[in-house]
């Protein structure tokens, strides 16, 4: 199970906004790039203002907006005839760049293990790479959990809020990041296994 499973319901809520953007001439690629730039700007703020706790509250807000924009760019592409090879490339690269930009700065927070954060970020990239490689092998794009993109967003968004309020000790935050890393590793395995199982099915 993964939060990705509720994506259809989330898309239904955003469909009116999607139609309005399409009518205004906004393209799917522009939305994709906008989501990535927003993540980069928030990541830069986390680095520059790392001594200021309130900056952490930008993370859940950015993650929520990013999730909405990611859903909208997909709907624009599919439902408003904006699909393109460039769009597919931007979508996959944008997700990876955004994850790195938003999560890597957590390693700069006092008391947070830089190693744990870096391992988590690398595993997050591997999980998305595994999902994409499945397509190259002839399977479908894999979104298996338990720690997909949306789940990572929820985990790090919650961590940012708790750290912003000073409610987590160093030991607890590092334990939480370790658990996230472990779940992402399981996700990599699940995606690889599901892709191979799919390829082995007749037809």
């Amino acid at each position: 199970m993964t939060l990705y499973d509720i994506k259809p319901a989330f898309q239904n809520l955003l469909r009116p906004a999607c139609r309005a953007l399409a009518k205004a001439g906004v393209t799917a690629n522009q939305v994709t790039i906008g989501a990535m730039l927003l993540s980069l700007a928030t990541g830069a703020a986390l680095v520059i203002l790392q001594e200021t706790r309130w900056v952490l509250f930008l993370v859940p807000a950015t993650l929520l907006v990013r999730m909405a924009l990611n859903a909208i760019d997909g709907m624009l592409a599919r439902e408003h005839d904006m699909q393109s090879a460039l769009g597919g490339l931007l979508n996959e690269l944008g997700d990876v760049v955004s994850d790195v930009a938003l999560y890597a700065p957590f390693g700069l927070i006092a008391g947070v293990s830089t190693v744990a954060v870096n391992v988590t970020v690398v595993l997050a990239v591997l999980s998305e790479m595994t999902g994409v490689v499945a397509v190259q092998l002839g399977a479908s794009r894999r979104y298996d959990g338990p720690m997909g993109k949306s789940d990572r967003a929820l985990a790090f968004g919650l961590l940012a809020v708790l750290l912003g309020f000073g409610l987590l000790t160093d030991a607890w935050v590092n334990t939480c990041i370790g658990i996230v890393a472990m779940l992402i590793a399981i996700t990599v395995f699940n995606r690889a296994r599901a892709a191979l199982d799919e390829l082995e099915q007749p037809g």
Side-chain angles (χ1 to χ4, degrees):
M1 293 295 295
T2 172
L3 284 178
Y4 186 81
D5 295 331
I6 68 171
K7 186 176 181 180
F10 189 48
Q11 288 176 324
N12 288 335
L13 292 174
L14 296 171
R15 190 158 276 111
C18 179
R19 294 195 189 103
L21 289 172
K23 188 175 181 180
V26 177
T27 69
N29 289 350
Q30 288 171 341
V31 174
T32 303
I33 293 172
M36 182 172 61
L37 292 177
L38 174 63
S39 299
L40 288 169
T42 301
L46 290 172
V47 172
I48 295 171
L49 302 173
Q50 57 184 275
E51 301 296 332
T52 308
R53 287 283 179 176
W54 66 260
V55 75
L56 289 166
F57 295 113
L58 293 177
V59 175
T62 297
L63 288 169
L64 181 60
V65 173
R66 176 192 165 195
M67 288 175 63
L69 292 177
N70 284 344
I72 288 173
D73 69 4
M75 288 190 291
L76 284 172
R78 291 187 304 273
E79 300 173 9
H80 297 274
D81 195 27
M82 297 184 188
Q83 289 182 315
S84 66
L86 175 60
L89 184 65
L90 287 174
N91 187 59
E92 295 295 350
L93 290 178
D95 281 343
V96 172
V97 170
S98 295
D99 274 5
V100 174
L102 288 171
Y103 305 149
F106 276 73
L108 300 175
I109 300 173
V112 177
S113 170
T114 302
V115 173
V117 172
N118 288 342
V119 168
T120 302
V121 170
V122 169
L123 287 171
V125 173
L126 284 176
S127 71
E128 297 309 309
M129 182 182 297
T130 305
V132 173
V133 169
V135 178
Q136 184 181 8
L137 296 176
S140 59
R141 172 65 163 91
R142 302 308 310 180
Y143 294 100
D144 308 83
M147 190 55 67
K149 179 177 67 176
S150 299
D151 308 287
R152 292 194 300 270
L154 177 62
F156 274 92
L158 182 58
L159 276 176
V161 170
L162 294 176
L163 284 169
F165 282 118
L167 298 177
L168 282 180
T169 63
D170 296 350
W172 269 110
V173 69
N174 289 320
T175 298
C176 290
I177 292 173
I179 292 172
V180 170
M182 180 183 66
L183 292 175
I184 298 175
I186 295 172
T187 298
V188 173
F189 175 78
N190 285 345
R191 291 183 178 185
R193 181 181 60 181
L196 293 174
D197 288 345
E198 182 180 345
L199 291 170
E200 291 175 358
Q201 294 177 3

